Amino acid sequence: MPAAFLPGLELSRRYYREVVRPIVAEGFPELSYAAGLIGHGSEVLGLDTERSTDHDWGPRLLIFLADDQADRAAELKATVGDRLPETFLGFPTVFPEGTHRVAVSGIGDWLRWRLGFDPRQRLETVDWLSAPTQVLAEITGGAIFHDGLGDLGRVREQLGWYPDDLWRYLLACQWQRIGQEEAFPGRTAQVGDDLGSVIIAARLARDVVRLCLLMARTYPPYSKWLGSAFARLPIAETVGPRLSEALAARDWPARERHLNAAYVEVARAHNALELTEPLDPEPVQFWDRPFFVPAGERFTEALRATITDPALRRLPPIGAVDHFIDSTDAVNQYEVRAAAVAAVLRQAGDQEPVAAETA
């Protein structure tokens, strides 16, 4: 048994250097490849703990072959499997289903499987918008242990963050989500639905967290790790307690007060980015009703006005696929998410995919 918990990324790094690399060097000395740990798994995001070891845990990594060598994947995987030790640092190298976890694939095959497209080709707006932020975080997270191909590092750099106009568009869409429900914690409570008020406040808190991550150029992970990723941001020190207080509040006026305190901090952070002219961070009254809100649409309109790409400016403020699809099963299917995004583009009058500003 392992003596102590070892973060999965470090476990896999040592597994590659001490076990897998020598096997590949001996059996395939002429082979060019890349190796690392990216893709699914809490360890890729650096968020694994000892609890993570209770299932699907152990030394693992991915080996990527050049596209013209992809047909050697099965041979390499079998050779590695035959020569692996039974355990490494106390962990079994064979998982409960009876297979080892040194995955081998052609790099293009793997990218198309995970993303639905090959980012080494020209990226289109439909590609960016159909890639969930969780998947982008997985591909740009983790670590490369060896990049004999050179492609893997370039792909991660290319996907490191959105093109500038697209970033502005997605920030605008995130503010749009806030603006759509900002008055509802008060309105639902006013008709006696305090549970509904809490539910909407929680939705708004989630949107604020995602907005903070987007402003910090950090891909928001899926729900399990959203708060953990947010906690790493400097802004979490001021915004986090206010969101917690909003969700713990016993009545809607307190809920609104704490949410507005969070909005003010986020609005100031928006102004600090200097993407738009400064906007007043203070909340305003919602029509003549007794609710005070950030008026999120102000930020949406200001951001959209700064977008230089006319095709992006024509898009409705719907956003990327995980702005408007909340089903894990749906966003994990490329065909579903690509079709949904393509429909949005068609709605904007773009019958063909819109080219992004950078390849």
Side-chain angles (χ1 to χ4, degrees):
M1 293 295 292
F5 172 70
L6 182 65
L9 198 57
E10 180 59 24
L11 174 65
S12 295
R13 189 190 309 275
R14 290 186 57 181
Y15 189 47
Y16 168 70
R17 290 178 178 174
E18 299 174 29
V19 176
V20 177
R21 181 170 63 182
I23 294 174
V24 177
E26 180 182 354
F28 301 82
E30 81 296 347
L31 188 65
S32 294
Y33 68 93
L37 185 61
I38 62 174
H40 75 279
S42 56
E43 64 267 50
V44 170
L45 302 180
L47 294 169
D48 52 326
T49 66
E50 190 170 1
R51 175 62 67 190
S52 306
T53 65
D54 64 3
H55 72 288
D56 292 337
W57 182 263
R60 66 184 187 91
L61 58 102
L62 295 86
I63 294 177
F64 300 99
L65 304 181
D67 294 323
D68 60 1
Q69 296 288 305
D71 58 354
R72 303 190 68 182
E75 177 190 4
L76 177 56
K77 182 177 176 67
T79 299
V80 170
D82 289 341
R83 301 184 185 182
L84 288 175
E86 291 185 1
T87 63
F88 178 70
L89 299 182
F91 289 97
T93 61
V94 175
F95 282 64
E97 69 272 20
T99 61
H100 66 81
R101 292 286 180 88
V102 180
V104 185
S105 174
I107 186 169
D109 293 338
W110 190 88
L111 289 168
R112 286 186 290 272
W113 167 73
R114 198 68 194 97
L115 285 165
F117 56 88
D118 188 338
R120 296 174 300 172
Q121 310 302 320
R122 181 174 176 83
L123 281 172
E124 309 288 347
T125 294
V126 67
D127 297 326
W128 279 110
L129 296 182
S130 64
T133 54
Q134 168 70 22
V135 172
L136 292 171
E138 292 173 349
I139 293 177
T140 57
I144 301 175
F145 307 147
H146 172 70
D147 195 9
L149 304 178
D151 281 10
L152 189 56
R154 285 193 291 269
V155 163
R156 283 159 58 87
E157 182 178 355
Q158 185 177 26
L159 296 177
W161 194 244
Y162 299 108
D164 186 69
D165 265 357
L166 195 55
W167 180 37
R168 292 167 186 259
Y169 169 70
L170 295 174
L171 287 172
C173 295
Q174 195 63 42
W175 276 109
Q176 181 79 357
R177 284 181 58 93
I178 291 171
Q180 289 169 344
E181 297 191 342
E182 58 191 10
F184 293 172
R187 182 59 179 143
T188 50
Q190 199 177 50
V191 297
D193 182 13
D194 195 64
L195 175 60
S197 176
V198 173
I199 291 171
I200 294 172
R203 285 171 55 88
L204 287 165
R206 180 182 65 174
D207 282 330
V208 167
V209 165
R210 289 182 61 91
L211 176 58
C212 289
L213 286 160
L214 288 172
M215 288 197 299
R217 293 174 174 263
T218 301
Y219 290 123
Y222 78 126
S223 58
K224 180 168 66 170
W225 301 123
L226 188 61
S228 297
F230 169 68
R232 294 172 167 176
L233 303 181
I235 198 173
E237 294 184 9
T238 54
V239 173
R242 288 163 172 78
L243 295 179
S244 295
E245 289 163 349
L247 299 183
R250 301 298 297 273
D251 55 61
W252 76 262
R255 205 167 289 132
E256 179 187 88
R257 184 171 65 254
H258 294 307
L259 281 173
N260 278 330
Y263 296 141
V264 167
E265 296 294 335
V266 176
R268 289 172 177 162
H270 165 86
N271 288 337
L273 291 174
E274 299 183 342
L275 298 176
T276 70
E277 292 297 319
L279 299 173
D280 186 352
E282 295 301 319
V284 298
Q285 188 169 2
F286 185 76
W287 300 103
D288 60 351
R289 299 182 181 185
F291 315 131
F292 284 83
V293 298
E297 69 276 1
R298 296 182 299 138
F299 297 86
T300 300
E301 292 167 3
L303 283 161
R304 294 185 74 183
T306 69
I307 297 172
T308 59
D309 183 342
L312 275 176
R313 291 184 71 170
R314 288 199 302 272
L315 293 183
I318 294 175
V321 64
D322 39 12
H323 272 108
F324 61 90
I325 295 182
D326 199 26
S327 164
T328 299
D329 290 327
V331 297
N332 277 338
Q333 297 183 54
Y334 172 74
E335 294 81 2
V336 172
R337 60 187 194 244
V341 170
V344 173
L345 297 179
R346 285 195 298 272
Q347 180 183 339
D350 297 300
Q351 299 302 317
E352 298 296 329
V354 185
E357 289 185 351
T358 60

